[in-house]
Amino acid sequence: MTGVPASAAGGSQAGAAGKASAMGSSKARSAKGVGPKAGGPAAGGVDTGAEGGAKSPRGGKIAAAAVNQASVWNIANLLTMLRLLLVPAFVALMLADGGYDPAWRSVAWAAFAIAMITDLFDGHLARTYNLVTDFGKIADPIADKAIMGAALICLSALGDLPWWVTAVILGRELGITLLRFLVIRYGVIPASRGGKLKTLTQGVAVGMYILALTGWLATLRWWVMAAAVVLTVLTGLDYVRQAIVLRRQGIAERKAALEETEA
């Protein structure tokens, strides 16, 4: 008789049934999340992996750009923007009613004080909560110098502060800012404790001049301003020294690196 023995046929059928059962079990496990991950090589699901969470490079760049754009609107930058908006308001208050009305000068002092306080908080918040942005790096020093420059110019224009004091302070601030940009290729000049003390002393002195003080308080503010001018000059000279050292180190390091490359 031509054919397959019954035992062989039964074995073949049983094997087929076993394979079918195994395939069904494998599909069930895959459907329930057991076994090879969907979209993985074992499942053969390239399309499933793309849909399941693997983003294309272009999509990642777009998402990153969106995050960076949204991060500009954080509390630190909002405080910086507030300080910028306070500059024209402060000037208007300082010059209101001829610039000598004690009431308007008090309101102008309040605006100046708010600007100085936000200057203390925005930088701290940006560093503490990782809110540093390119906008903040540019806008923060501009806002600082804008409010201080506006106050000094208004005081000198009203005759309350000698013009040479305004020239020394603003000349130092603009000069150091330019110096920082000139040596940025070699490194960053960090803010020193003397520089922070200078900023605090300047703020207190200018604030006292904004108020219509008389008597011993008027004498005290003169001495505070004198201390601010001295600190302004000394810290400016120290920044120049740091810039020269930083430039020399940068040139030496570049020269050494070039010699190693040539060797």
Side-chain angles (χ1 to χ4, degrees):
M1 179 183 296
T2 304
V4 180
S7 59
S12 175
Q13 292 175 359
K19 290 181 179 179
S21 176
M23 291 175 63
S25 177
S26 176
K27 290 179 179 179
R29 286 196 303 269
S30 299
K32 293 179 180 180
V34 181
K37 294 182 179 179
V46 176
D47 295 338
T48 305
E51 294 175 358
K55 297 181 180 179
S56 64
R58 180 179 177 83
K61 290 180 180 179
I62 294 175
V67 171
N68 291 335
Q69 184 66 23
S71 66
V72 172
W73 300 98
N74 58 59
I75 183 62
N77 287 343
L78 290 176
L79 289 176
T80 301
M81 295 177 194
L82 173 62
R83 195 156 70 256
L84 286 170
L85 293 175
L86 281 173
V87 174
F90 166 79
V91 173
L93 292 170
M94 274 291 293
L95 301 179
D97 198 15
Y100 297 103
D101 186 283
W104 284 113
R105 292 285 284 263
S106 298
V107 179
W109 176 87
F112 180 81
I114 292 173
M116 291 293 100
I117 292 172
T118 58
D119 180 29
L120 296 176
F121 279 102
D122 61 357
H124 175 73
L125 291 172
R127 291 187 297 270
T128 303
Y129 298 102
N130 195 24
L131 301 176
V132 178
T133 62
D134 291 338
F135 171 80
K137 293 177 183 178
I138 297 173
D140 183 65
I142 292 176
D144 297 343
K145 291 169 178 56
I147 189 67
M148 183 60 69
L152 290 169
I153 292 173
C154 286
L155 289 171
S156 294
L158 292 172
D160 294 336
L161 190 67
W163 276 106
W164 70 265
V165 174
T166 298
V168 168
I169 294 177
L170 292 186
R172 183 267 190 196
E173 297 299 330
L174 295 176
I176 296 302
T177 301
L178 178 60
L179 187 63
R180 285 177 182 271
F181 281 110
L182 290 176
V183 299
I184 192 68
R185 68 181 70 179
Y186 306 110
V188 177
I189 303 176
S192 62
R193 292 183 179 179
K196 294 177 181 179
L197 179 60
K198 177 269 306 177
T199 301
L200 177 62
T201 308
Q202 281 183 1
V204 174
V206 171
M208 294 180 72
Y209 268 87
I210 292 172
L211 292 172
L213 300 178
T214 58
W216 68 271
L217 288 176
T219 304
L220 177 62
R221 71 182 181 182
W222 186 92
W223 286 105
V224 177
M225 181 60 74
V229 172
V230 171
L231 287 172
T232 297
V233 174
L234 292 179
T235 55
L237 294 175
D238 182 61
Y239 275 119
V240 172
R241 180 192 62 79
Q242 291 186 55
I244 294 173
V245 172
L246 186 63
R247 182 176 180 274
R248 288 177 178 175
Q249 291 178 348
I251 292 175
E253 290 175 359
R254 288 188 177 186
K255 185 177 180 181
L258 183 60
E259 290 177 352
E260 289 182 1
T261 304
E262 293 177 351

